[in-house]
Amino acid sequence: MPHRHDLNPRVSVDNVILGFDDENLNVLLIGRSLADGKMDDVLALPGDLIYENENLDMAAQRVLHELTGLTNLFLQQAGAFGDPDRLSKPKDRAWLKTVRQEPEVRVITIAYFTLINMHEFAPQPASFAQSVQWVPIQDIGDLAFDHNQILKTCLSRLQETIAIKPVGFNLLPTKFTLGQLHKLYEAILEKPLDKRNFRRKIQKLGILTHLDEKQAGVPHKPSRFYKFNEIKYRELAETGFDNFGF
Amino acid sequence: MPHRHDLNPRVSVDNVILGFDDENLNVLLIGRSLADGKMDDVLALPGDLIYENENLDMAAQRVLHELTGLTNLFLQQAGAFGDPDRLSKPKDRAWLKTVRQEPEVRVITIAYFTLINMHEFAPQPASFAQSVQWVPIQDIGDLAFDHNQILKTCLSRLQETIAIKPVGFNLLPTKFTLGQLHKLYEAILEKPLDKRNFRRKIQKLGILTHLDEKQAGVPHKPSRFYKFNEIKYRELAETGFDNFGF
DNA sequence: CTTGGTAGTGTATTATTGACACTAAGAATT
DNA sequence: AATTCTTAGTGTCAATAATACACTACCAAG
């Protein structure tokens, strides 16, 4: 006996794909093309409706793969967003009309976030007939739909997650300096961290391995390179640590 | 241009409603009635398809209200569950046939959890032509659909949440003893906590106010009653604390 | 050879955590 | 009245973790 006001919605996933450029967190956003061939001035998170035979995680992985070619990444669900009016801003409605057979149907979306090394993916200006670009989070204006809200939620979830698991390593090249890692944590947590205390704490975890290699060509004292030691990380995770709180 | 494999699912909410009886965490579960009027032996989380004009949070509040009469409670989203086969266990399919016009349609559910004072709601044996019962979490067997997985996720989220916010007070009467609070934290965190250290820490937060009242009629030293001081809690929350880790 | 810029290091103070054992009060039983 | 049972309530010490803080080392560019 379905209730007569039951809803028959669509379900999508939207991905907050974060990258780090040694200075700021960036989000991968797409521009929408309008009917007249021009680009909308409103940016959006990449997302898609889910397919019949895939689960939610698979749909999120697919969206990420189709956009960046990247596969098999850490991709964490951050929540479901389903306000009835989440697609009803005028610009959003205009765009939906050009692209959907059913622009009026309600869409509930499941948000995911993931962290990638920015240098592993350089946006192709014309990929998918959409513009794709990295945007520093502090430069982000009004996004499409409820995507500002989704982004905010994902950033909060990232802050919580990084206090429990060192997921940040996904954002860095395989070899990195402690300075980069330090700036990354500051960018994610949005607060300054004392350099010596940060170094002491992160090194005490024992999940960093230093390489016998240093920066070259930098106009200052060269820094050692480190890599993330996944084996020691797993050992640590199994014995049950609680937090990486900074 | 919707993709030809796009999905046209239903969306529901499922609630993990937790109560505490001074000993164990309990979950409010419903029994399903079958076509022949008998009760299915499989219990399920209370849930419902969402309506056209309500958002996800409202749907979860509605389910809670219809079941318990309670309103306006802390209700936290724990995640979306949408595996294509999440409704496909034989018993679940049999039950769906008796109750739905479209037993085959895929349903994606958004899970919420909430904490209530068990004594504020005593299940009525016959409400909604379903059985409703409190079940201690350690006695829970196979639930309907993917509800075991949902429950597990919600309990983990509760453990994380209580480390950040003292949400546990929702589970207790307005006046309670430190002993009750202590046992509650042990039940939620599933580990013993040292009595003196627990008391010291929880009292240092300054969000408890002791009443000039003691237990009466107990066959042992009577305990003081305390109440949760929401005003001091808000002050504390605004100045930005990090955790209540135990 | 000076300048600018980042890398890298140690210590002292304070706050927090964790381990640990006995007395106090009431009710029930004898 | 005394005993027993049960939970309430309390303090200290040691180890660990958090915080605040300033200088030298190294490289490139001018």
Side-chain angles (χ1 to χ4, degrees), chain A residues 108-171:
Chain A
I108 289 166
T109 199
I110 317 299
Y112 282 81
F113 68 91
T114 188
L115 311 172
I116 72 175
N117 177 351
M118 271 181 81
H119 307 295
E120 281 181 22
F121 171 67
Q124 310 289 317
S127 58
F128 298 90
Q130 299 172 127
S131 72
V132 180
Q133 54 193 287
W134 286 110
V135 183
I137 51 173
Q138 67 270 34
D139 297 347
I140 288 173
D142 281 351
L143 300 178
F145 311 123
D146 53 356
H147 288 184
N148 289 94
Q149 186 194 349
I150 292 174
L151 175 59
K152 191 177 159 201
T153 299
C154 285
L155 291 173
S156 296
R157 293 296 299 277
L158 173 57
Q159 289 181 350
E160 295 163 16
T161 302
I162 208 165
I164 300 174
K165 294 183 176 192
V167 288
F169 296 96
N170 294 298
L171 284 160

Side-chain angles (χ1 to χ4, degrees), chain B residues 2-21:
Chain B
H3 194 285
R4 73 176 179 279
H5 292 296
D6 282 349
L7 181 63
N8 189 1
R10 299 285 182 169
V11 176
S12 66
V13 292
D14 284 305
N15 283 358
V16 172
I17 301 168
L18 297 168
F20 181 64
D21 61 6

Side-chain angles (χ1 to χ4, degrees), chain B residues 5-237:
Chain B
H5 292 296
D6 282 349
L7 181 63
N8 189 1
R10 299 285 182 169
V11 176
S12 66
V13 292
D14 284 305
N15 283 358
V16 172
I17 301 168
L18 297 168
F20 181 64
D21 61 6
D22 286 2
E23 202 61 45
N24 298 305
L25 279 182
N26 291 259
V27 185
L28 205 51
L29 295 176
I30 62 177
R32 306 184 292 201
S33 50
L34 292 170
D36 56 10
K38 290 182 183 164
M39 293 308 285
D40 196 348
D41 59 345
V42 176
L43 297 174
L45 295 171
D48 195 11
L49 297 174
I50 65 175
Y51 292 172
E52 271 181 22
N53 291 309
E54 66 186 359
N55 65 29
L56 306 176
D57 290 1
M58 285 160 55
Q61 292 282 358
R62 173 172 57 81
V63 166
L64 176 64
H65 181 256
E66 286 174 357
L67 189 68
T68 66
L70 298 172
T71 176
N72 239 340
L73 291 169
F74 165 81
L75 199 46
Q76 180 172 330
Q77 196 187 106
F81 296 79
D83 278 359
D85 61 352
R86 61 179 288 274
L87 307 187
S88 63
K89 287 192 284 193
K91 280 192 181 177
D92 292 332
R93 292 170 60 90
W95 178 77
L96 285 169
K97 258 183 225 167
T98 71
V99 83
R100 284 251 192 85
Q101 287 165 353
E102 320 163 291
E104 304 299 332
V105 77
R106 185 165 160 193
V107 177
I108 288 166
T109 200
I110 317 297
Y112 282 81
F113 68 93
T114 188
L115 313 172
I116 73 176
N117 176 351
M118 269 180 81
H119 307 295
E120 280 180 25
F121 172 69
Q124 309 290 317
S127 58
F128 298 88
Q130 298 172 126
S131 71
V132 180
Q133 54 194 288
W134 284 112
V135 183
I137 51 173
Q138 67 271 34
D139 297 348
I140 288 173
D142 280 350
L143 299 178
F145 311 124
D146 52 357
H147 288 184
N148 289 93
Q149 186 194 349
I150 291 175
L151 174 60
K152 191 177 159 201
T153 300
C154 286
L155 291 172
S156 297
R157 292 296 298 277
L158 173 58
Q159 290 180 349
E160 295 163 17
T161 302
I162 208 165
I164 300 175
K165 295 184 173 192
V167 288
F169 296 95
N170 294 296
L171 284 160
L172 294 172
T174 44
K175 58 183 186 185
F176 52 86
T177 69
L178 290 184
Q180 288 175 301
L181 189 60
H182 182 203
K183 279 185 185 154
L184 171 58
Y185 269 78
E186 290 186 327
I188 290 175
L189 297 175
E190 296 177 296
K191 66 180 182 190
L193 301 171
D194 179 86
K195 183 167 60 161
R196 283 179 286 192
N197 295 338
F198 175 81
R199 288 170 162 252
R200 180 182 359 133
K201 191 160 183 174
I202 202 87
Q203 291 190 92
K204 189 155 38 165
L205 294 174
I207 56 177
L208 294 184
T209 309
H210 65 78
L211 307 176
D212 293 332
E213 198 182 346
K214 291 184 176 184
Q215 284 178 316
V218 291
H220 54 76
K221 177 171 176 177
S223 180
R224 301 184 84 152
F225 283 116
Y226 288 80
K227 65 174 181 179
F228 176 55
N229 185 334
E230 202 158 343
I231 294 165
K232 287 208 175 173
Y233 166 66
R234 283 189 212 286
E235 286 173 17
L236 182 62

Side-chain angles (χ1 to χ4, degrees), chain A residues 8-27:
Chain A
N8 191 0
R10 300 285 182 168
V11 176
S12 65
V13 292
D14 284 305
N15 284 357
V16 172
I17 302 168
L18 297 168
F20 182 63
D21 61 6
D22 285 4
E23 201 62 43
N24 299 304
L25 279 182
N26 292 259
V27 185

Side-chain angles (χ1 to χ4, degrees), chain A residues 83-101:
Chain A
D83 279 0
D85 61 353
R86 59 180 290 273
L87 307 187
S88 62
K89 288 192 281 192
K91 280 193 180 176
D92 292 333
R93 292 169 62 89
W95 178 77
L96 285 169
K97 256 182 227 167
T98 71
V99 82
R100 284 249 194 88
Q101 286 166 353

